[in-house]
Amino acid sequence: MPEEQQSQSPEAHFDVLVVGAGHAGTEAAVAAARLGTRVGLVTSSLETIGQMSCNPAIGGVAKGTVVREVDALGGVMGRAADLATLQFRMLNRSKGPAVWAPRAQCDRGLYRRAVRSLVEQHTGLHTIQGTVARLLLDSAGKSVNGIETLEGRRFTARSVVITTGTFLRGRIHIGTDTSLAGGRAGESSATHLAEQLEGAGLTVDRFKTGTPPRIDGRSVDYEKLQRQNSEIDQFDYSWSHFWDEPRVAGDTTRHPAQLPCWVAYLDAEAKQIIQENIGLSAMYGGAITARGPRYCPSVEDKIVRFPAAERHQIFLEPEGHDTAELYVNGLSTSLPAPVQLDILRTIPGLENVRMNRTGYAIEYDYYPPTQLDSTLQVRAIRGLFFAGQINGTTGYEEAAGQGIVAGFNAGLAALERSPVILGRETSYIGVLVDDLVMCGVDEPYRLFTSRSEFRLTVRQDNALQRLSGIGTHLGIYSAGEQHIIEQRHSDENLVLDLARTTSITPAQAEPLLSAAGSASLTHAVKVVELARRHGLSLGDLLSAAGVSTHLSTDALISTELEIKYAGYFERERSQAERMQSMGDFVLKPGLPYQAMRSLSFEARQKLELIQPRTLAQASRIPGVSPSDIQNLVIEVERSKHALLSI
């Protein structure tokens, strides 16, 4: 690099710089700003801050819990979703509140504008338009000092968070003949930064993802489709909104006017078209070799992997109030555009449909996350953090969860404070990060409830209860937010106290018992006793007993679950305490694992590579057996005694 450029003074200095302003980047920037650091958020276009690149929906199974965890830690995703929700469903409602999963379809434009507004509320957070060309590293290449943009602007920082999504050497494919560089449709990919990261010695690999076509809703015959209405009347993602009164049933004033989604089906005619043209698919025609998300397959994958299926469900989801465009959920594809249109027109109700945008597949660079520690810092470069799809994950919510972790730890590192590490027993975000850095990925990672050992106690309704202590310790809440948190905890205590002290008579209880098919009472009992029965709501029981609570829905649900499943929760919490005790067994960096001959050869290799911080992390590394863990404890204790005897 020319000498004069080396000595060029930076335009500004920040504590934390965040590269990329998608779901990971905005959360990282806000998390760092809440710690009191000076933050620069760098993006190639300020107009795309908070852009929903694929489906304009937030939440789902496990994902909805992550949104509420991000919100509990001061993030913006849940708040923006509440301001933009135009269709809401509580998934798994038939399975009971313990596994309910909120999912909100959002107005794409409203969501993006809400995110930008929420970001800009933080006075210490500065937005910068520019494309990052390279990182500024120290002379040894072992520590990051800032960034430089293609426009020649230089900014220094003590920590840098990279959240580039699919933009690092991103390449879009439509059929086997159309391929162009891009991070998403209409936007350039980033090559300079990708080349520098690879040149710094980091291991890089490629994944692929895809998106479906969008259609003009004015060309759809809705009479042939199944209507799916919103269930918004009793739900907010965020606890922190600016309303003084708790939600009451039937109140929809906090959200935009609700719109329906529509259900359709892909049947034999469409399957035949796909089978006849499978060789023209970018994935099946050889244009793409990278691996895609197994649990969010393309329509080509569905036909190949499930040939016996008679039909495949498709959802037509509104993009916003200011457009008639519909997102065709379930039809992700990389087939040529004419074939996509032919497939669409086989769907009943879409015989004359107009296609606004084609679906496409995209390949992009990611960095295997075993190169990170549990703070999401790159082990080889101090002060450099990765979050989002760059770590091999898929999904807005997974990106946001990583953004929170990386943002907090980048800010804490800049302030020379101790890092924050979320355990698996505390949150789905903790499960996500632990899975990434301990186990790595061999396909785009997606969260599921089955990945957590504690899914009964780590629920969407109690995220604030679980995580507000961490937020309070970090000092991230305003005085008003802290008051709301304290009120929520007070509400839960009050509900439990009312359930334990309020009596309900047989006459008061009978209508509820009869409706639930439950045995009648012979005498008055405490509400808490009836709340343990299946099919009886704590809120309904208190109301029948003449108690007017005016408390939040979440406080009622959380307390009801604690009553109904107390035994199960106790077992999970005992297991969490055992995991916590393993977490307290610290493994110092640089332990001589290769010299620990009582461990298997594979265990020594994996432990040397990953460098777990605790015994709990070591126990979850693939290839490290329970006997290895027992021997590891002996080896570590033996080395401690040897040091003491010197």
Side-chain angles (χ1 to χ4, degrees), residues 114 148 212 220 607 615 633:
E148 182 175 318
V220 173
L607 291 166
L615 193 66
V633 173

Side-chain angles (χ1 to χ4, degrees), residues 179-201:
S179 173
L180 59 152
R184 60 181 166 230
E187 297 182 57
S188 300
S189 59
T191 56
H192 296 78
L193 181 58
E195 290 167 356
Q196 183 192 24
L197 291 172
E198 187 173 12

Side-chain angles (χ1 to χ4, degrees), residues 5 98 153 261 328 370-371 402 465 506 532 585 594 619 623:
Q5 197 169 355
R153 305 174 73 184
C261 288
V328 188
T370 50
Q371 299 174 98
Q402 293 169 75
Q465 180 188 72
R532 295 190 180 101
F585 192 102
Q594 294 296 347
S619 70

